[in-house]
Amino acid sequence: MNMKKHLILPALLLSVSIGYSQKNKNAYELASPNGQNKIKFELVKNAPKYAVSHGKTEVISPSEMGFVLKGNEDLSSNFEIKGAKTSTFDETWEQVWGEKKNIRNHYNQLVVDLQQKTGNKRKLQIQFRAFDDGVAFRYVYPKQNVKDSIFIMDEKTTFNLKEDGKAWWIPANRENRDEYLFKDAPVSTLDTVLTPLTIESKSGLALSFHEANLVDFASMTLVNTKGTELKSDLVPWADGVKVRVKDSFTSSWRTIQIGENPGELITSYLVLNLNEPNKLKNTNSYFRPYKYLGIWWGMHIGKYTFWESDKQGATTKHAEEYIDFTEKEGFNHLLIEGWNKGWTPAWYENKMHMFSFTKNADNFDLEKVVEYGKKHNVELIGYHETGSNLINYLKQVDEAFALYKKLGIHTVKIGHVGSKLNMKQMHFGQFGVNYFRYILEKAAQYDLAVVYHESIKDTGERRTFPNMVSREAARGQEYNAWSEGNPPNHLTIIPFTRLLSGPMDFTPGIFDVEVKQGYPGKRVQGTVGQQLALYVTIYAPIQMLADLPENYEGKPALQFLKDVPTDWEDTKILEGKIGEYITTARKDRNSADWYLGTLTNEKPRNVEVSLSFLDPNATYEAQIYVDAEGTDQTHNPEAVAISKKTVKASDKLQLKLGGAGGGAVRFKKL
Ligand code: CA
């Protein structure tokens, strides 16, 4: 670690002692290490303002900062600068697991200490960081000589975009949380939207607005206030207060990732870099990336029930059959949903459901299944559906985690179906933020890795807590089982939007894409080639093989799912257009092999990419799985053409994708 102090851009100031009464000395400029991204900070009429530029392009025009506290004391004006410090930081750190092994955290920082001139003379510190892949800032409200609790009623931060652009958005504060289809619209027409919010600006930049290291604060949504101006809209408590704290607070980082093409957003690690280093040193002893099967899809397509019935999915008998199949195909993890007491046919409705997290359903013997699994090298993944009744869950969580620890279960998937937590608080408010962090830290105490469903959005926690392995936090595969489904372009949008926040438990790998055993008319809107591509396109350290065992039985394409890793040394986006297509290459962390995934929206596509990412001194066997000739989502969608050829880094690869199709390649180093 090396942290040295020096003045970064002494445009107006050559000294760190600030003359705060002098007009032109109330302005600072902070540039990223390569000088491309710049933040300008200025006190204008005693109010803090910031602006952002990339090269010669103004990205954010002067915008507001600060908060409104209860009692109408406005923490956004009447300030003077008490001090300012600049520093630079450059460190390369290693991810315990991830989409890239070594990550460089290189930025210049400006910390400005403000104090109000009259009244309670409240202090506010604003920290700015300029990275080569974007900028970030956060607020620190230090302990001060004012004896009161702090109620933040509003955040005044705005993002006054210099120009309009195409925003890829989902709505905020709705019944289904973040499980919505992304749409595109001009920034100037947006209502309240969730982050990450990705914008293709008129001048051709790719921007993503999000936050990092969200702790004991409300999550930020964005609302269009006027023109192309977006404003932070913190998700409130049930009583309307946005954030309640005692003496001090530190907001999450407000992040703006800036790329010259949308693919650069995916290989930006700015959000992770703004989280604290790993606090858990022992996760390697209980969590390594893996692939898993599950008694799961059967419930979604109506073959099984979650609840006790003659069609119950989670029976000891089914579990043993699934364990046999999992072992036979060479996998080691199995998720079983609905194993416990408390499930009813109306389990997903908004009610205070009373699940038990320790008692087996009648036809399911957890200890026996765990033992059977151990004999066959298959570890169970624990499952807790809270139904968002956290009062019930928190009463049992210690006992439930202790049970898993005793049984040697090291991952727990935790669901939070319901529009509000405890039918009262929004998932994304400060209450939810604190709840999800509390459970994550508690799970670590029991050597448990966590997969959240219906959770708060990811803000990079996995860097600090590498037991935070994956989450849903978007419309996943399940919607293809029982809703109108995810249209093909969904998969070409989420890599540039939702997936910027972190790993997703999308649950790919449906081979019976027409879902012949499911509800009439419901299906996956794509080909098996597209499903294969998802294992490379979507990054997650755990990936499900979501389909029923009988749909994998004897399928040659299953070999790709056996081979594809879930832990990577490096990631490259070879090409991509939001809503149209994406081609991703990743290098395995534990071998010399590379993998490629490519998929397209409803339009067929001829992919041609350079293989220059391969080692130039090596030869590879390309094992190619792609839509068979004439295949698309409505014509023979399960047909995958499998072929092999020898390739080098100087070659180009051509793949022909059908509509809603895709392909996947393993480059095995020879
Ligand atoms: Ca869900």
Side-chain angles (χ1 to χ4, degrees), residues 316-325 327 334 365-380:
T316 302
K317 184 173 168 283
H318 289 152
E320 292 182 352
E321 289 163 7
Y322 268 73
I323 287 168
D324 290 344
F325 182 79
E327 182 190 33
L334 178 69
D365 185 334
L366 181 62
E367 297 208 9
K368 194 175 165 200
V369 171
V370 166
E371 276 314 305
Y372 189 82
K374 279 183 182 158
K375 271 191 221 125
H376 297 269
N377 290 317
V378 175
E379 183 179 307
L380 294 198

Side-chain angles (χ1 to χ4, degrees), residues 71 82 92 130 142 144 155 173 224 363 404 472 575 581 633:
K82 300 298 272 189
T92 297
Q144 37 205 301
E155 178 177 343
N173 309 329
N224 180 276
N363 292 322
Y404 284 156
E472 182 184 45
E575 52 168 13
Y581 58 87
Q633 67 165 324

Side-chain angles (χ1 to χ4, degrees), residues 177 179 453-454 472 478:
R177 306 159 306 274
E179 296 177 7
H453 277 234
E454 299 83 28
E472 182 184 45
E478 61 185 15

Side-chain angles (χ1 to χ4, degrees), residues 176-179 296 300 385 413 415-417 453-455 472-476 478-479 482:
N176 288 330
R177 306 159 306 274
D178 43 18
E179 296 177 7
W296 176 79
H300 285 274
E385 174 53 57
K413 172 177 170 180
H416 304 85
V417 168
H453 277 234
E454 299 83 28
S455 66
E472 182 184 45
R475 260 174 82 123
E478 61 185 15
Y479 277 79
W482 37 255

Side-chain angles (χ1 to χ4, degrees), residues 604-617:
R605 183 158 192 273
N606 293 326
V607 176
E608 185 183 87
V609 287
S610 156
L611 300 181
S612 57
F613 56 88
L614 296 173
D615 176 353
N617 303 312

